Structures are given as C-alpha cells and as structure tokens.
Amino acid sequence: MSAAFDLDIPIDAGALGKVAVLTGGRSAEREVSLMSGSGVLQALRSQGVDAHAFDPAERPLQALKDEGYARVFIALHGRGGEDGSLQGALELLQLPYTGSGVMASAIAMDKTMTKRVWLAEGLPTPRWVLLQPGELQRERVIAVPDTLGLPLIVKPPREGSSIGISKVEGYSQMQEAVKLAAQYDPDVLCEEFIIGIELTCPVLGQGEHARALPVVRIEAPDGNYDYEHKYFSEDTGYRCPSGLAPDEEAEVQRLTLAAYRALGSRGWGRADLMLRASDRKIFLLEMNTSPGMTGHSLVPMSARQAGISYERLCLLLLALASTDNTRA
C-alpha cells in the first residue's frame, strides 16, 4: 500500500450494497445537515449507488438493520451525529459508517478535550479558559480577559457551525457572550483570539496512510466567519490554492495530519486553523469529523483542487466506511 491514501482506487458502486444517507437529525445544525445530505444522496445515486435518505429524527436506527442497509454515509452534524453517540449505535448494529469511530468523534466534538489531546502531543492551539456551570458569576466571567487578553472568542465547546460563538472586544461584552454560549452548552470555552489568516485543511484516509488535501484560505467580511457567512452568504471569499508560501502550505498540512492522527480520526476530517499575522505561527482550532457537504462547504472545494469531483469524493468516503473493529 502506498504512503498516502490512493485517490484513484477503483470502486464498484454495486458492491457497496444498500446505503443509508443519514441526514437531518435533532441537533442545532439540522438545517445544514439536510443540505449536506441532499447533495450526498444525489451524488451517490449519480455514481450508481443504491442510496436512500434516512432521518434519525423521524425513524429509529434499528430500521437500518431491519431494512437491509449494508453501510451508512453520515451527513449529520453536531450532537447526535458527530459526537460518538450515533457511531456507538452503528457499532452495535454492526453497520460500517463513514468518518471517525466512537472515541475520535467524541473527543473531536468537545473542543476542550481536543485541545488537551493536542497539547499532550505538542501541537499548537490557542490559549483558553474553561468556565464550568458553577463559574458563570459576573466576577469570574469578567476576569477572563485578564488571562487571555482582548479580543477573545467565547463559544460552546460542543457545538459546531459557529453556533453560539461571540467575538468579545471589551470587558462589558463578556457577560452577554457567556450567556449566549451557555444556551447551547453547560460549559463555556473562552479562547485567545488569533489575529491573522483563517485556514482549513481536509484529510482523507487513516493513520499513516492519511492524506492532507489542499489548504483553503477563508476571507470573510470583517473576519466574521459566522453561521450565515459559512452557509448562505455570497460575500465570503475562498482561495484554493490558498496563496500561502509553499513551506507554509506544507506546514499547515503537516500539522493537520498530526492533529488528525492524534485524535485517532479515520475516513475523513477537516481541521480549522489560524496563521498568526505577527509571526506566521500556525494554531489548530478544531477538528471536524463530519464536515459539511453543502454548496458552500470546504472539503469539496479542496477536493476539486486535488482533481476529485464532488461525486467521486462521496464515493471515496463511502468506500472508506468501516466500524471500530473491522475495516470494510
């Protein structure tokens, strides 16, 4: 086997069997998941796959087994789809699924736990303060900028798609930002704000054979890459090729692969990173184990730069479907 995942591997669509595309779900990212699922479903069918939409919010997972599904493409985002709970259920049903397994999914969904793993591996991530439920008093909250400086970011550690996130530029904004984040998570993550270039880098494959795809540079209006700018706005700019110097692009890919492997991720993923303007140092922000596959999504954009069509990407991901204890 080659040192990187073979993107040209032949795939027999008929041999993949009956496939469920899990879409929708009950998380705060349901709307995005429905868009991802619709695109994946059409792509797989165009490649000759016997694919069907399946919404876990409307049907019990046991129906996957009862109705003869052979494998599952997870197009769910957020809790109940990306946090290890769904993966555990599919393990019990012995159904191969796309993306990371139980442990890697659970860790990556929790940005605080992700940071702890990365720091243990010597990987760079912005400084942070975690506020737990008993620490949301005003005196504690307004003291956070003394540790992290201003501006800073406040976010729920177990949500995605920039839901519940605020950029805080003054002490007076802290209380409201923490209140917003706490609506989505009992814990609140406060993180050092890195001024610089926002980047993302996808990965395909597993372990030593995983391959980093081209880096995407994100240029959101006023640096505000929020939910609206991620999925609906036409104002956000994306550069792929990223325009980074070759050594910087290579370093982003190296760090992304190291971060992916440290979490035990498999199948695919996408790291979000920042390149600090002052010294060109790169910081890892988070790892997405079930990235978006919408018209604005970044993994398909990067894959196109690598010569992989959206349809081929979906087929590759499906072919990589497995469980924790077997390899399909």
Side-chain angles (χ1 to χ4, degrees):
M1 191 171 183
S2 64
F5 175 62
D6 183 2
L7 302 178
D8 298 318
I9 183 174
I11 300 171
D12 181 355
L16 296 174
K18 186 178 180 181
V19 173
V21 177
L22 299 195
T23 181
R26 296 186 176 87
S27 82
E29 299 178 69
R30 175 179 172 83
E31 184 178 10
V32 179
S33 173
L34 288 169
M35 291 190 291
S36 288
S38 175
V40 170
L41 182 66
Q42 292 179 41
L44 291 178
R45 286 177 171 173
S46 76
Q47 298 298 296
V49 177
D50 181 20
H52 306 263
F54 189 105
D55 189 343
E58 299 174 353
R59 307 182 65 197
L61 290 176
Q62 180 60 41
L64 293 169
K65 200 73 172 177
D66 295 342
E67 296 175 17
Y69 286 98
R71 61 182 62 207
V72 171
F73 193 114
I74 298 176
L76 297 169
H77 311 307
R79 298 183 190 187
E82 199 171 352
D83 60 0
S85 57
L86 171 69
Q87 288 74 11
L90 295 173
E91 292 284 341
L92 292 174
L93 292 172
Q94 297 182 314
L95 283 174
Y97 53 91
T98 55
S100 291
V102 177
M103 182 184 70
S105 298
I107 294 174
M109 189 66 199
D110 188 321
K111 297 176 182 66
T112 305
M113 292 305 298
T114 298
K115 283 175 171 288
R116 288 170 175 156
V117 171
W118 284 344
L119 284 178
E121 294 293 314
L123 298 171
T125 186
R127 295 177 299 126
W128 86 96
V129 170
L130 181 66
L131 298 176
Q132 296 179 310
E135 301 179 296
L136 302 186
Q137 308 91 337
R138 183 177 182 279
E139 296 76 13
R140 174 73 176 106
V141 168
I142 63 171
V144 171
D146 294 337
T147 301
L148 299 180
L150 289 168
L152 59 83
I153 294 293
V154 176
K155 63 178 90 171
R158 290 176 285 262
E159 285 291 349
S161 295
S162 298
I163 291 171
I165 289 184
S166 302
K167 180 182 178 183
V168 173
E169 302 192 64
Y171 285 83
S172 62
Q173 299 172 348
M174 278 297 300
Q175 202 71 33
E176 195 62 33
V178 168
K179 181 180 178 182
L180 173 63
Q183 293 177 14
Y184 297 95
D185 197 311
D187 295 331
V188 174
L189 178 62
C190 305
E191 187 177 65
E192 172 189 14
F193 182 76
I194 304 297
I195 299 173
I197 301 169
E198 189 158 1
L199 306 167
T200 195
C201 182
V203 181
L204 296 180
Q206 179 175 335
E208 63 178 302
H209 304 294
R211 170 175 174 173
L213 296 182
V215 177
V216 179
R217 179 173 182 164
I218 301 162
E219 298 174 334
D222 301 317
N224 184 26
Y225 193 45
D226 58 11
Y227 183 87
E228 180 69 22
H229 286 123
K230 278 188 176 182
Y231 299 109
F232 302 104
S233 173
E234 299 297 333
D235 297 331
T236 303
Y238 303 99
R239 292 176 61 182
C240 190
S242 65
L244 298 178
D247 61 329
E248 289 181 332
E249 173 103 4
E251 180 63 6
V252 170
Q253 291 176 317
R254 185 193 71 80
L255 284 173
T256 295
L257 281 171
Y260 182 85
R261 290 166 178 153
L263 297 176
S265 301
R266 69 161 189 257
W268 68 319
R270 196 197 78 230
D272 294 336
L273 313 93
M274 290 296 300
L275 175 62
R276 190 160 61 191
S278 61
D279 58 5
R280 310 301 284 185
K281 182 176 179 179
I282 301 163
F283 294 85
L284 291 155
L285 300 180
E286 63 180 279
M287 181 67 67
N288 302 276
T289 55
S290 183
M293 290 290 282
T294 73
H296 283 71
S297 292
L298 304 177
V299 176
M301 184 183 304
S302 173
R304 281 197 302 272
Q305 182 62 30
I308 308 167
S309 69
Y310 183 94
E311 293 76 13
R312 174 66 179 175
L313 175 63
C314 291
L315 197 59
L316 280 169
L317 295 175
L318 186 61
L320 286 168
S322 64
T323 62
D324 279 338
N325 298 314
T326 62
R327 296 291 173 260

